[in-house]
Amino acid sequence: MSPTYDVIVIGLGGMGSAAAHHLSARGARVLGLEKFGPVHNRGSSHGGSRITRQSYFEDPAYVPLLLRSYELYEDLERATGRSIATLCGGVMVGRPDSRTVEGSLRSALQWDLPHEMLDAREIRRRFPTLTPRADEVALFEEKAGFLRPENTVAAHLQLATRAGADLHFEEPMTRWEPYADGVRVHTAENTYTAGQLVICPGAWAPRLLTDLGVPFTIERQVMYWFQPSTGVAPFLPENHPIYVWEDAAGVQVYGFPAIDGPALGAKVAFFRKGVVCTPETIDRTVHDDEVRAMADHISRSVPALPGTFLKAATCMYSTTPDEHFVIARHPAHPGSVTVACGFSGHGFKFVPVVGEILADLALTGATGHPIELFDPSRLHPEPAV
């Protein structure tokens, strides 16, 4: 007889681990299935750090979810003793009419978020590591900072296990189908049944959610670590903010303080400058010309940063056409399947609240959180009249 659960969660990266935690914390019998091992580096939830910020240039509609995520990250740290969120402050830099600056300011004003606007001279005075152009400004947000993705996933897995969830690693789903009042899920090892299925596929969304009707694009992204020529002292979190920096051509980079000690330098990356790939074809090797391009670009804004190249790593963005998320009951299976995907390179800061939303949807069919923006139907063309 097939083992039976209340909810099966597919994928135990950032979103899936959070879903497993919130579901099991509410008393649901949960099975989690993961293709790789726990806290792996094959998808999108790795690399030592992720930016968190509240003055959200992507859309003010995200801000209530961010405020809830901040609360849940604090809860997660208290419950597990793991270091997850460090609020070292952050600057969103660019010309005043850039998406990065204008969009951040719009969210800050709409939601009355604490912030300051800095001109180029004030940016250089407060943060001597940064060298903005005379026509660039910044929105400074004291509550911006960075998250530890590996610690976040490990913490959610820890709490899910503590609450009784069965988490199976190295056991990918091979297929699923509707079954009675729920779903049947197959792996190479077994067949399982449940009343509800939650799918958090990351970069595997195009293969696992072909019937969702969303044209996902999977992109290879590269993260770089450099040893600053000045040493790390000026780049420590008490001296150096996180930053998102948009140049006159609209190219964005993001970066961090030196958060892991003198030997590991500071991390920087391009935002949305990837190469289309699949999880099977992604090139995990970072090439010399890529390192040179990153070093050349960041040297214009943070001159000391590309002193010595230390290492690089790849990850994947799963991007929707409008760069907004997909979080919803599956339109073809609204009674039994919930999906969370297409986080488009800016989803990790939402991990705990997405877990809470997925638990709401799977157990009650609805959520009090504002997720209208994430309905997949927005990406379906209107039928011709």
Side-chain angles (χ1 to χ4, degrees):
M1 183 175 178
S2 301
T4 300
Y5 295 86
D6 296 319
V7 187
I8 297 174
V9 179
I10 304 301
L12 294 173
M15 306 305 174
S17 64
H21 158 52
H22 283 281
L23 285 161
S24 58
R26 299 185 194 185
R29 294 169 297 158
V30 176
L31 170 66
L33 296 174
E34 168 56 52
K35 179 180 180 70
F36 301 106
V39 198
H40 63 82
N41 65 354
R42 311 307 290 172
S44 305
S45 300
H46 61 279
S49 57
R50 290 290 185 276
I51 282 177
T52 189
R53 50 192 167 88
Q54 296 181 356
S55 300
Y56 216 60
F57 63 77
E58 285 84 350
D59 195 299
Y62 286 89
V63 173
L65 300 177
L66 285 163
L67 298 179
R68 179 56 177 158
S69 267
Y70 271 57
E71 295 173 347
L72 291 171
Y73 274 121
E74 290 183 8
D75 293 346
L76 196 59
E77 289 184 322
R78 282 193 295 267
T80 63
R82 296 177 184 270
S83 174
I84 292 175
T86 300
L87 304 184
C88 60
V91 286
M92 312 304 132
V93 188
R95 291 180 173 178
D97 62 349
S98 66
R99 182 189 185 201
T100 301
V101 174
E102 190 277 330
S104 297
L105 181 59
R106 183 172 65 252
S107 284
L109 293 175
Q110 180 170 328
W111 292 99
D112 196 24
L113 301 173
H115 68 282
E116 295 179 71
M117 294 304 300
L118 312 178
D119 62 17
R121 179 179 298 180
E122 184 64 9
I123 297 169
R124 290 191 293 267
R125 188 189 71 81
R126 291 201 196 183
F127 308 112
T129 51
L130 308 182
T131 58
R133 292 167 49 98
D135 61 347
E136 292 180 321
V137 300
L139 180 143
F140 172 72
E141 180 185 326
E142 188 175 2
K143 290 187 176 181
F146 60 88
L147 306 166
R148 298 286 195 171
E150 289 88 348
N151 283 3
T152 302
V153 174
H156 280 134
L157 295 177
Q158 175 185 338
L159 294 182
T161 301
R162 185 187 299 174
D166 291 338
L167 306 181
H168 295 191
F169 298 96
E170 309 288 345
E171 188 178 348
M173 176 184 72
T174 55
R175 61 186 177 90
W176 70 273
E177 70 259 353
Y179 170 75
D181 293 327
V183 295
R184 181 189 283 125
V185 173
H186 302 270
T187 74
E189 286 77 20
N190 213 331
T191 298
Y192 309 94
T193 58
Q196 295 290 322
L197 179 64
V198 174
I199 305 178
C200 303
W204 287 262
R207 182 167 62 83
L208 296 182
L209 293 172
T210 55
D211 58 347
L212 192 60
V214 175
F216 299 103
T217 300
I218 309 305
E219 296 176 313
R220 169 187 177 271
Q221 305 289 333
V222 182
M223 302 170 281
Y224 304 83
W225 285 258
F226 292 94
Q227 181 68 263
S229 59
T230 57
V232 297
F235 286 81
L236 294 175
E238 57 266 30
N239 300 321
H240 186 76
I242 63 93
Y243 53 93
V244 179
W245 202 311
E246 182 177 341
D247 69 12
V251 176
Q252 291 172 304
V253 296
Y254 64 94
F256 299 82
I259 63 177
D260 289 316
L264 296 180
K267 175 182 162 186
V268 66
F270 287 109
F271 188 41
R272 304 194 193 287
K273 193 179 179 182
V275 176
V276 175
C277 68
T278 70
E280 293 75 31
T281 63
I282 181 173
D283 182 0
R284 298 281 182 182
T285 300
V286 178
H287 303 278
D288 291 345
D289 61 329
E290 295 178 294
V291 176
R292 286 193 297 270
M294 182 78 260
D296 178 66
H297 188 97
I298 199 61
S299 67
R300 306 168 203 168
S301 307
V302 193
L305 184 54
T308 304
F309 171 66
L310 298 174
K311 66 174 183 175
T314 59
C315 69
M316 289 179 283
Y317 287 1
S318 307
T319 303
T320 64
D322 61 7
E323 299 175 358
H324 294 309
F325 308 159
V326 171
I327 306 173
R329 296 290 256 173
H330 195 306
H333 312 280
S336 57
V337 182
T338 303
V339 298
C341 50
F343 289 96
S344 302
H346 63 112
F348 195 87
K349 58 187 74 65
F350 298 90
V351 156
V353 73
V354 170
E356 190 170 65
I357 291 167
L358 293 175
D360 292 342
L361 294 176
L363 297 179
T364 72
T367 182
H369 289 294
I371 62 169
E372 294 80 10
L373 181 61
F374 312 137
D375 188 331
S377 66
R378 75 185 191 275
L379 299 171
H380 301 163
E382 294 292 330
V385 177

